[in-house]
Amino acid sequence: MAIKIAFEKPSTQKTLCLGVYAENKFPHPTETWDQKLDGLLKKSIKNSKFKGELNQILSIFSPDGMRIFLIGLGKKSDQNEQQWQKVGSSVLEALGTSPTGEGSVEIYDLENFNNAEVAANLALGALLKSWRFEKYFTTKKPEELFSVKKVTILTPQPEAAEKAFKPLSQTAEGVFLTRTVVTEPANIITPDSLSKIAESLKKDGIKVDVLTEKELKKLGMNALLGVGQGSEQESKLVVMRWEGGSKKEAPLAFIGKGVTFDTGGISIKPAANMEAMKYDMGGAGVVIGLMKALALRKAKVNVVGVIGLVENMPSGSAQRPGDVVTSMSGQTIEVINTDAEGRLVLADALWYTQDKFKPKIMVDLATLTGAIVICLGSERAGLFSSDDSLAKRLNSAGEKVGELLWRLPLDEAYDLDINSDIADVRNTNISRGAGSVTAAKFLQRFTNDVPWAHLDIAGVTWAQKDLPLCAKGATAFGVRLLDRFVAENYEGK
Ligand code: BES
Ligand code: ZN
Ligand code: ZN
């Protein structure tokens, strides 16, 4: 659930958030209020540690009972959309202490910036931070649950703000869908139920095809099918198509790892933290959310989203370490470790995508390796790409939305490490190092030289603590990045 956002012209308010720059300089509306309140704001600041730094909040009551929160805007010279989004998130935090669950924000006339953009980004920050997953709490009291219901952004141009906010809120809808499916446990999100959620995007104008095991077998997707063969759940491949561009234009393709639960299979994982493996479908979750965002904002581009959905379970019918499977590409794979399953799913999903859709580019997202968590932690996702321009443009989109990437190498020398003694390729490397790179090299063998990028999102899919624009839990990292990447590079904006 997320809050309601409204845009209105400034008027009398009971609970109001006002902005203050670093060094306690006031933007225009804050100055006006200070004069109306006989210098109360400046006096209150004097008696506090408040310095207008980003994320600082000072709570004040006026003599007639009006509640005012001063919100730090940070340095004037640092103002940009990400900063305003963070301010929006502070606003939400402040209003969380208000008993009504509602409040207004009067932050505009920031020097040299368009009021509509400022308002829209404040709103986006508050909205993204407000999302909560509380459906399974049955005994908590209302005050223990998230309490902010509505944020009203006061701005001299509410119509322009509304217009600027619309596409941002549509992208946020995609983010929320991703967060929901990633947070739901694996008894709820199975290959079948997730394919049905993808099918529900038909109402937004997306064409959806769900391929069954029988069809996948026919296509020769034995690498993907081998991963799911130990599970009671039927494996699926879902193809989502958004056709917002011209008919003859080749599509962009986004491919997601959708392991709805990763026990490791016969190479079973230790029990500690295994519950986290419900989010091993995070890549697929991002692709679903991205498709929704693109459809809602009617993106002028052709995009195909392909997700491979399987459950990796140990059982009498499970794949064994040492098994050899023939992938759709014809390449044979020796499955050394059944826990290196994501690359097996993606091998067939990537090959199918390039073969069927002849895309301009392919970008896959996967919670692929524990090694990327060791390497980059939760600050950045790993970026691997066969194409420098693609890598650069993804990096740049990430910087603009605050979803940071770090490019890692794909040297040919790493490729030797995954040659098998009895098949074309093995699914783990021979030496112990560079686990994320060798996983990416494995994927590259199934891209058929289409310009391709791989985002290893294992470390960024689930936040262990609150982030500026996301409460602890599923982040949907990748949805805003790819939405921006598409808008900036392929929609003529
Ligand atoms: N799903 C895991 C990777 C993962 C780890 C995702 C932590 C999210 C958080 C993946 O399937 C896996 O198990 N990879 C193995 C590969 C190894 C067996 C070569 C790993 O990283 O340990
Ligand atoms: Zn695994
Ligand atoms: Zn996995």
Side-chain angles (χ1 to χ4, degrees), residues 257 259 261-262 269 277 280 312 339-342 367-369:
K257 168 179 173 182
V259 177
F261 197 80
D262 182 11
K269 287 180 179 293
M277 287 302 109
D280 211 22
N312 189 19
D339 195 13
E341 83 299 338
T367 48
L368 202 65
T369 65

Side-chain angles (χ1 to χ4, degrees), residues 15-50:
T15 306
L16 186 61
C17 298
L18 296 169
V20 179
Y21 292 120
E23 312 296 338
N24 293 332
K25 295 195 184 71
F26 285 1
H28 172 241
T30 311
E31 188 63 53
T32 311
W33 272 103
D34 193 45
Q35 283 164 17
K36 262 198 251 179
L37 294 165
D38 296 329
L40 174 70
L41 305 184
K42 285 198 182 112
K43 277 183 249 164
S44 306
I45 287 174
K46 250 195 190 140
N47 286 318
S48 76
K49 288 183 176 166
F50 185 85

Side-chain angles (χ1 to χ4, degrees), residues 13 25 123 125 140 176 280 367 422 491:
Q13 301 296 327
K25 295 195 184 71
K140 279 197 198 291
F176 297 157
D280 211 22
T367 48
I422 66 158
E491 290 184 71

